[in-house]
Amino acid sequence: MTQQHVIENVLQSKMRGKVSYLGNVSATSVLQLTYVKPFDHPSGKGYQRPVDSKRCNDFALYLSKGEDALFAPIMLNAESHWEFSAYDKARPHLGRLICKGKASIMDGQHRVGGIKRYTQDTNSEINVPFLAFHYLDEDEEIHLFDIINTMAKGIGTSLSKYLHRNTDELSWIATQLITRGDSPFHFIGTLTGKRSSGRHVTLQNLYKVIEVLTKPEDVANLNKETKLALSLMYFNYVKEQFNTEWLNYKEYRLTHIVCLNALAIAGAEILNESINRQKGKSDYLFIEKSVRKMKNIDWSAEGPLKYLKGISGSKMLAQDLISEVISTR
Protein backbone atom coordinates (compact mmCIF):
# COMPACT_ATOMS: atom_id res chain seq x y z
CA MET A 1 0.00 0.00 0.00
CA THR A 2 1.74 3.17 -1.21
CA GLN A 3 -1.00 5.75 -0.60
CA GLN A 4 -1.90 6.79 2.94
CA HIS A 5 -5.49 6.36 4.06
CA VAL A 6 -7.23 8.45 6.68
CA ILE A 7 -10.07 7.13 8.85
CA GLU A 8 -12.10 9.83 10.58
CA ASN A 9 -14.11 9.78 13.83
CA VAL A 10 -12.10 7.10 15.59
CA LEU A 11 -12.27 6.48 19.33
CA GLN A 12 -8.97 5.63 21.02
CA SER A 13 -9.00 3.58 24.24
CA LYS A 14 -7.04 0.97 26.16
CA MET A 15 -7.87 -2.69 26.67
CA ARG A 16 -5.76 -4.49 29.29
CA GLY A 17 -2.96 -2.03 28.72
CA LYS A 18 -3.11 -2.31 24.93
CA VAL A 19 -4.00 0.78 22.86
CA SER A 20 -6.99 0.10 20.62
CA TYR A 21 -9.09 1.99 18.08
CA LEU A 22 -12.82 1.70 17.44
CA GLY A 23 -14.39 3.08 14.31
CA ASN A 24 -15.91 2.50 10.89
CA VAL A 25 -14.29 2.32 7.48
CA SER A 26 -15.68 1.98 3.97
CA ALA A 27 -15.76 -1.45 2.37
CA THR A 28 -13.42 -0.23 -0.38
CA SER A 29 -10.90 0.98 2.20
CA VAL A 30 -11.07 -2.12 4.38
CA LEU A 31 -10.09 -4.27 1.39
CA GLN A 32 -7.09 -2.03 0.77
CA LEU A 33 -6.09 -1.68 4.43
CA THR A 34 -6.13 -5.30 5.59
CA TYR A 35 -4.50 -8.65 4.87
CA VAL A 36 -4.62 -12.22 6.20
CA LYS A 37 -1.79 -14.36 7.62
CA PRO A 38 -2.48 -17.93 6.39
CA PHE A 39 -1.62 -20.88 8.64
CA ASP A 40 1.10 -22.04 6.21
CA HIS A 41 2.86 -18.68 5.93
CA PRO A 42 6.63 -19.18 5.33
CA SER A 43 7.42 -17.17 8.47
CA GLY A 44 5.91 -19.91 10.63
CA LYS A 45 3.79 -17.24 12.34
CA GLY A 46 0.64 -17.62 10.24
CA TYR A 47 -2.56 -18.91 11.77
CA GLN A 48 -5.66 -18.27 9.65
CA ARG A 49 -7.51 -21.24 8.20
CA PRO A 50 -8.17 -21.34 4.42
CA VAL A 51 -11.06 -19.13 3.36
CA ASP A 52 -14.36 -20.98 3.01
CA SER A 53 -16.01 -19.45 -0.06
CA LYS A 54 -19.42 -20.74 1.03
CA ARG A 55 -19.20 -18.80 4.29
CA CYS A 56 -18.23 -15.66 2.37
CA ASN A 57 -21.12 -16.12 -0.06
CA ASP A 58 -23.54 -16.77 2.81
CA PHE A 59 -22.46 -13.52 4.46
CA ALA A 60 -22.85 -11.63 1.18
CA LEU A 61 -26.40 -13.00 0.95
CA TYR A 62 -27.02 -11.89 4.54
CA LEU A 63 -25.87 -8.35 3.69
CA SER A 64 -28.40 -8.22 0.88
CA LYS A 65 -31.14 -8.00 3.54
CA GLY A 66 -30.31 -4.32 3.88
CA GLU A 67 -30.60 -2.35 7.13
CA ASP A 68 -31.47 -5.45 9.13
CA ALA A 69 -28.09 -7.02 8.31
CA LEU A 70 -26.12 -5.99 11.39
CA PHE A 71 -22.73 -7.57 12.11
CA ALA A 72 -19.93 -7.48 14.67
CA PRO A 73 -16.76 -5.42 14.14
CA ILE A 74 -13.80 -7.10 12.51
CA MET A 75 -10.74 -7.34 14.77
CA LEU A 76 -7.38 -6.13 13.51
CA ASN A 77 -3.74 -5.80 14.50
CA ALA A 78 -2.50 -2.51 13.04
CA GLU A 79 1.12 -3.56 13.71
CA SER A 80 2.06 0.09 14.50
CA HIS A 81 1.21 1.10 10.91
CA TRP A 82 -1.76 3.22 12.02
CA GLU A 83 -1.14 6.50 13.86
CA PHE A 84 -3.81 8.27 15.92
CA SER A 85 -4.19 12.04 15.85
CA ALA A 86 -6.67 13.70 18.26
CA TYR A 87 -8.94 16.46 16.94
CA ASP A 88 -8.23 18.74 19.90
CA LYS A 89 -7.08 18.77 23.51
CA ALA A 90 -10.65 18.85 24.78
CA ARG A 91 -11.33 15.50 23.09
CA PRO A 92 -8.00 13.65 23.38
CA HIS A 93 -9.50 10.24 22.57
CA LEU A 94 -11.47 11.25 19.47
CA GLY A 95 -9.64 11.80 16.23
CA ARG A 96 -8.40 10.30 12.98
CA LEU A 97 -6.19 7.37 12.05
CA ILE A 98 -3.44 7.88 9.49
CA CYS A 99 -2.87 4.46 7.94
CA LYS A 100 0.61 3.97 6.49
CA GLY A 101 0.43 0.19 6.12
CA LYS A 102 -1.91 -2.78 6.23
CA ALA A 103 -3.46 -4.32 9.34
CA SER A 104 -3.72 -8.06 9.93
CA ILE A 105 -7.22 -9.50 10.20
CA MET A 106 -7.45 -11.54 13.42
CA ASP A 107 -11.20 -12.10 13.40
CA GLY A 108 -13.52 -11.48 10.47
CA GLN A 109 -11.84 -12.74 7.30
CA HIS A 110 -15.08 -14.38 6.13
CA ARG A 111 -17.03 -11.20 6.84
CA VAL A 112 -14.51 -9.24 4.78
CA GLY A 113 -14.75 -11.84 2.01
CA GLY A 114 -18.55 -11.57 2.06
CA ILE A 115 -18.37 -7.76 2.05
CA LYS A 116 -16.10 -7.88 -1.02
CA ARG A 117 -18.51 -10.18 -2.84
CA TYR A 118 -21.55 -8.10 -1.87
CA THR A 119 -20.08 -4.74 -2.91
CA GLN A 120 -18.82 -6.14 -6.21
CA ASP A 121 -22.18 -7.76 -7.03
CA THR A 122 -24.25 -4.72 -6.08
CA ASN A 123 -21.78 -1.96 -7.02
CA SER A 124 -22.51 -0.38 -3.65
CA GLU A 125 -20.59 0.81 -0.60
CA ILE A 126 -21.11 0.00 3.09
CA ASN A 127 -19.43 0.99 6.34
CA VAL A 128 -17.51 -1.74 8.14
CA PRO A 129 -17.07 -1.48 11.93
CA PHE A 130 -13.64 -2.41 13.29
CA LEU A 131 -11.69 -2.80 16.51
CA ALA A 132 -7.96 -2.43 15.88
CA PHE A 133 -5.10 -2.91 18.32
CA HIS A 134 -2.28 -0.43 17.74
CA TYR A 135 0.33 -3.20 18.10
CA LEU A 136 0.42 -6.87 19.08
CA ASP A 137 3.53 -8.96 18.54
CA GLU A 138 3.12 -12.15 16.51
CA ASP A 139 2.75 -14.46 19.50
CA GLU A 140 0.20 -12.16 21.16
CA GLU A 141 -1.75 -12.04 17.91
CA ILE A 142 -1.79 -15.84 17.56
CA HIS A 143 -2.75 -16.28 21.22
CA LEU A 144 -5.66 -13.85 20.95
CA PHE A 145 -6.86 -15.51 17.75
CA ASP A 146 -6.73 -18.90 19.49
CA ILE A 147 -8.67 -17.63 22.52
CA ILE A 148 -11.34 -15.97 20.37
CA ASN A 149 -11.91 -19.03 18.23
CA THR A 150 -11.69 -21.79 20.82
CA MET A 151 -13.93 -20.11 23.38
CA ALA A 152 -16.49 -19.53 20.64
CA LYS A 153 -17.47 -21.96 17.91
CA GLY A 154 -14.54 -21.42 15.64
CA ILE A 155 -11.31 -22.87 14.40
CA GLY A 156 -11.70 -26.39 15.73
CA THR A 157 -9.26 -28.61 17.53
CA SER A 158 -6.93 -29.38 14.61
CA LEU A 159 -5.90 -25.79 13.87
CA SER A 160 -5.72 -25.12 17.62
CA LYS A 161 -3.22 -28.00 17.95
CA TYR A 162 -1.24 -26.50 15.07
CA LEU A 163 -1.07 -23.14 16.85
CA HIS A 164 0.30 -24.86 19.98
CA ARG A 165 2.96 -26.84 18.10
CA ASN A 166 5.82 -24.81 19.63
CA THR A 167 4.65 -25.25 23.21
CA ASP A 168 2.96 -28.67 23.22
CA GLU A 169 5.06 -31.75 22.47
CA LEU A 170 2.33 -33.92 20.96
CA SER A 171 1.08 -31.05 18.78
CA TRP A 172 4.62 -30.60 17.47
CA ILE A 173 5.02 -34.31 16.67
CA ALA A 174 1.61 -34.50 14.97
CA THR A 175 2.37 -31.39 12.91
CA GLN A 176 5.72 -32.83 11.84
CA LEU A 177 4.01 -36.05 10.73
CA ILE A 178 1.87 -34.04 8.30
CA THR A 179 4.39 -31.47 7.10
CA ARG A 180 7.47 -33.66 6.61
CA GLY A 181 7.93 -35.13 3.16
CA ASP A 182 9.31 -38.40 4.56
CA SER A 183 6.16 -39.02 6.61
CA PRO A 184 3.52 -41.50 5.42
CA PHE A 185 0.89 -38.97 6.51
CA HIS A 186 2.26 -36.15 4.37
CA PHE A 187 -0.16 -36.66 1.48
CA ILE A 188 -3.18 -37.89 3.46
CA GLY A 189 -3.17 -35.42 6.35
CA THR A 190 -4.70 -31.98 6.85
CA LEU A 191 -3.49 -29.38 9.34
CA THR A 192 -6.70 -27.38 9.52
CA GLY A 193 -9.21 -30.14 10.23
CA LYS A 194 -10.98 -29.65 6.92
CA ARG A 195 -11.05 -32.99 5.11
CA SER A 196 -10.88 -33.18 1.33
CA SER A 197 -10.38 -35.86 -1.29
CA GLY A 198 -7.21 -37.76 -0.39
CA ARG A 199 -6.66 -35.82 2.86
CA HIS A 200 -8.79 -37.53 5.46
CA VAL A 201 -6.51 -37.67 8.52
CA THR A 202 -6.76 -34.47 10.55
CA LEU A 203 -4.13 -33.05 12.87
CA GLN A 204 -6.45 -33.78 15.79
CA ASN A 205 -6.69 -37.43 14.66
CA LEU A 206 -2.90 -37.70 14.59
CA TYR A 207 -2.60 -35.98 17.95
CA LYS A 208 -4.73 -38.74 19.50
CA VAL A 209 -2.78 -41.44 17.64
CA ILE A 210 0.56 -40.13 18.95
CA GLU A 211 -0.89 -39.69 22.43
CA VAL A 212 -1.70 -43.41 22.50
CA LEU A 213 1.49 -44.52 20.72
CA THR A 214 3.77 -42.73 23.18
CA LYS A 215 1.77 -43.47 26.34
CA PRO A 216 3.94 -46.29 27.85
CA GLU A 217 6.28 -44.88 30.48
CA ASP A 218 9.52 -45.88 28.76
CA VAL A 219 8.37 -44.21 25.54
CA ALA A 220 6.85 -41.19 27.30
CA ASN A 221 10.21 -40.41 28.94
CA LEU A 222 11.95 -39.98 25.57
CA ASN A 223 12.51 -36.50 24.12
CA LYS A 224 10.16 -35.27 21.41
CA GLU A 225 12.68 -35.75 18.59
CA THR A 226 13.10 -39.43 19.48
CA LYS A 227 9.34 -39.89 19.77
CA LEU A 228 8.95 -38.36 16.32
CA ALA A 229 11.66 -40.61 14.88
CA LEU A 230 9.99 -43.72 16.34
CA SER A 231 6.55 -42.62 15.13
CA LEU A 232 7.90 -42.05 11.63
CA MET A 233 9.68 -45.38 11.65
CA TYR A 234 6.71 -47.38 12.89
CA PHE A 235 4.14 -45.92 10.50
CA ASN A 236 6.55 -45.96 7.56
CA TYR A 237 7.00 -49.69 8.17
CA VAL A 238 3.20 -50.04 8.20
CA LYS A 239 2.91 -48.13 4.92
CA GLU A 240 5.67 -50.20 3.31
CA GLN A 241 4.06 -53.45 4.45
CA PHE A 242 0.61 -52.40 3.21
CA ASN A 243 1.40 -49.81 0.54
CA THR A 244 -1.68 -50.46 -1.62
CA GLU A 245 -3.99 -50.40 1.38
CA TRP A 246 -2.41 -47.20 2.73
CA LEU A 247 -2.99 -45.33 -0.52
CA ASN A 248 -6.54 -46.52 -1.17
CA TYR A 249 -8.87 -45.04 1.44
CA LYS A 250 -12.03 -46.07 -0.39
CA GLU A 251 -11.36 -49.79 -0.75
CA TYR A 252 -9.31 -50.36 2.41
CA ARG A 253 -9.74 -49.28 6.02
CA LEU A 254 -6.07 -49.12 7.00
CA THR A 255 -5.96 -45.32 7.28
CA HIS A 256 -9.47 -44.97 8.70
CA ILE A 257 -9.30 -43.49 12.18
CA VAL A 258 -10.52 -46.62 13.96
CA CYS A 259 -7.66 -48.62 12.39
CA LEU A 260 -5.01 -45.95 12.96
CA ASN A 261 -5.99 -45.92 16.63
CA ALA A 262 -5.68 -49.71 16.72
CA LEU A 263 -2.24 -49.50 15.15
CA ALA A 264 -1.30 -46.94 17.80
CA ILE A 265 -2.43 -49.22 20.64
CA ALA A 266 -0.46 -52.14 19.20
CA GLY A 267 2.45 -49.86 18.33
CA ALA A 268 2.69 -48.63 21.91
CA GLU A 269 3.42 -52.18 23.09
CA ILE A 270 5.88 -52.77 20.24
CA LEU A 271 7.82 -49.54 20.88
CA ASN A 272 7.86 -50.13 24.62
CA GLU A 273 9.23 -53.66 24.22
CA SER A 274 11.79 -52.47 21.66
CA ILE A 275 13.18 -50.14 24.33
CA ASN A 276 13.13 -52.79 27.06
CA ARG A 277 15.02 -55.24 24.85
CA GLN A 278 17.88 -52.79 24.35
CA LYS A 279 17.86 -51.36 27.90
CA GLY A 280 16.75 -47.85 27.03
CA LYS A 281 17.57 -47.79 23.32
CA SER A 282 15.08 -48.76 20.66
CA ASP A 283 15.58 -52.02 18.78
CA TYR A 284 14.69 -50.82 15.27
CA LEU A 285 14.93 -54.28 13.73
CA PHE A 286 12.41 -55.58 16.28
CA ILE A 287 9.94 -52.82 15.29
CA GLU A 288 10.28 -53.70 11.61
CA LYS A 289 9.88 -57.44 12.21
CA SER A 290 6.84 -56.85 14.44
CA VAL A 291 5.06 -54.87 11.72
CA ARG A 292 5.86 -57.54 9.13
CA LYS A 293 4.12 -60.10 11.35
CA MET A 294 0.84 -58.21 10.86
CA LYS A 295 0.79 -59.32 7.21
CA ASN A 296 -2.26 -61.59 7.64
CA ILE A 297 -4.64 -58.76 8.59
CA ASP A 298 -7.32 -58.13 5.97
CA TRP A 299 -7.79 -54.33 5.69
CA SER A 300 -10.39 -54.39 2.91
CA ALA A 301 -13.46 -52.19 3.38
CA GLU A 302 -15.79 -55.14 2.74
CA GLY A 303 -13.80 -57.58 4.89
CA PRO A 304 -13.94 -58.43 8.60
CA LEU A 305 -13.27 -54.80 9.58
CA LYS A 306 -16.32 -53.46 7.75
CA TYR A 307 -18.38 -52.82 10.88
CA LEU A 308 -15.55 -51.84 13.19
CA LYS A 309 -16.37 -48.56 14.94
CA GLY A 310 -15.23 -46.38 17.83
CA ILE A 311 -12.70 -46.99 20.56
CA SER A 312 -14.11 -50.44 21.30
CA GLY A 313 -13.49 -51.44 17.68
CA SER A 314 -9.95 -50.05 17.86
CA LYS A 315 -9.23 -52.09 20.98
CA MET A 316 -10.58 -55.29 19.40
CA LEU A 317 -8.44 -54.84 16.30
CA ALA A 318 -5.41 -53.93 18.41
CA GLN A 319 -5.71 -57.25 20.24
CA ASP A 320 -5.73 -59.06 16.91
CA LEU A 321 -2.63 -57.13 15.81
CA ILE A 322 -0.81 -57.86 19.04
CA SER A 323 -1.77 -61.55 18.80
CA GLU A 324 -0.28 -61.71 15.30
CA VAL A 325 2.98 -60.24 16.56
CA ILE A 326 3.18 -62.44 19.68
CA SER A 327 2.16 -65.71 17.98
CA THR A 328 5.13 -65.63 15.61
CA ARG A 329 7.84 -64.50 18.02
Side-chain angles (χ1 to χ4, degrees):
M1 187 180 72
T2 56
Q3 184 180 2
Q4 289 186 4
H5 287 251
V6 177
I7 306 173
E8 301 286 355
N9 301 313
V10 174
L11 182 65
Q12 182 193 56
S13 62
K14 280 192 174 182
M15 182 185 298
R16 298 289 185 176
K18 300 291 185 183
V19 175
S20 62
Y21 310 119
L22 186 64
N24 291 275
V25 65
S26 69
T28 299
S29 293
V30 82
L31 295 173
Q32 296 174 333
L33 288 169
T34 61
Y35 76 105
V36 169
K37 295 177 180 176
F39 75 94
D40 55 355
H41 193 274
S43 68
K45 293 293 185 179
Y47 57 87
Q48 290 281 7
R49 77 204 100 174
V51 173
D52 186 333
S53 58
K54 182 180 184 302
R55 289 183 63 187
C56 294
N57 292 338
D58 287 346
F59 190 73
L61 182 61
Y62 169 73
L63 291 175
S64 68
K65 295 180 180 180
E67 293 182 356
D68 292 335
L70 303 177
F71 56 96
I74 61 173
M75 187 176 292
L76 309 170
N77 177 15
E79 301 178 349
S80 295
H81 298 316
W82 294 6
E83 296 180 3
F84 180 79
S85 176
Y87 288 137
D88 53 55
K89 292 181 179 180
R91 299 175 296 171
H93 300 297
L94 182 65
R96 61 174 58 92
L97 281 174
I98 301 170
C99 306
K100 300 179 179 180
K102 292 189 176 185
S104 168
I105 300 176
M106 291 189 289
D107 184 52
Q109 69 163 331
H110 290 102
R111 271 166 279 162
V112 172
I115 288 165
K116 179 180 180 181
R117 173 69 185 271
Y118 171 76
T119 55
Q120 288 177 341
D121 289 351
T122 61
N123 195 29
S124 61
E125 188 68 271
I126 62 172
N127 282 330
V128 181
F130 69 86
L131 170 64
F133 288 94
H134 177 73
Y135 175 77
L136 298 174
D137 67 32
E138 292 173 321
D139 291 331
E140 289 175 323
E141 185 176 341
I142 290 172
H143 178 67
L144 183 54
F145 169 81
D146 188 29
I147 293 298
I148 291 168
N149 287 283
T150 51
M151 291 184 68
K153 183 180 179 182
I155 61 174
T157 51
S158 284
L159 189 50
S160 180
K161 298 297 186 200
Y162 177 75
L163 298 179
H164 287 96
R165 66 194 183 283
N166 293 326
T167 55
D168 177 72
E169 183 175 271
L170 295 182
S171 294
W172 179 81
I173 296 171
T175 298
Q176 290 292 311
L177 286 176
I178 290 181
T179 57
R180 284 179 55 142
D182 59 346
S183 168
F185 296 99
H186 182 62
F187 292 108
I188 65 172
T190 168
L191 290 172
T192 62
K194 185 176 181 180
R195 293 182 174 90
S196 60
S197 178
R199 294 191 176 275
H200 52 273
V201 180
T202 69
L203 186 62
Q204 171 66 5
N205 295 149
L206 270 183
Y207 183 95
K208 291 294 185 183
V209 165
I210 300 307
E211 186 176 39
V212 173
L213 185 67
T214 60
K215 188 175 181 179
E217 185 176 356
D218 288 336
V219 183
N221 289 334
L222 300 171
N223 61 46
K224 67 179 184 180
E225 289 79 11
T226 304
K227 290 178 184 176
L228 171 62
L230 288 174
S231 301
L232 280 168
M233 181 180 301
Y234 175 64
F235 280 108
N236 268 321
Y237 285 148
V238 172
K239 181 179 181 293
E240 290 170 10
Q241 175 77 3
F242 305 104
N243 189 59
T244 299
E245 292 89 337
W246 188 273
L247 299 175
N248 192 333
Y249 177 80
K250 185 175 181 180
E251 296 183 21
Y252 297 94
R253 301 206 68 194
L254 178 61
T255 59
H256 289 221
I257 305 309
V258 66
C259 295
L260 288 177
N261 286 335
L263 285 164
I265 296 171
E269 293 203 17
I270 293 170
L271 296 187
N272 197 53
E273 184 164 342
S274 76
I275 294 172
N276 291 333
R277 291 165 65 93
Q278 293 280 53
K279 296 182 180 180
K281 294 183 179 180
S282 297
D283 184 340
Y284 300 149
L285 184 59
F286 172 77
I287 297 172
E288 181 180 11
K289 287 182 176 179
S290 295
V291 172
R292 293 194 184 283
K293 291 173 182 177
M294 300 177 185
K295 62 183 180 181
N296 294 322
I297 300 296
D298 180 2
W299 300 100
S300 62
E302 297 302 320
L305 307 182
K306 181 177 181 179
Y307 300 105
L308 211 63
K309 296 183 183 297
I311 189 62
S312 60
S314 295
K315 289 179 178 178
M316 288 176 57
L317 176 56
Q319 288 304 312
D320 289 343
L321 294 171
I322 293 168
S323 296
E324 286 290 314
V325 173
I326 293 175
S327 66
T328 52
R329 278 181 189 167

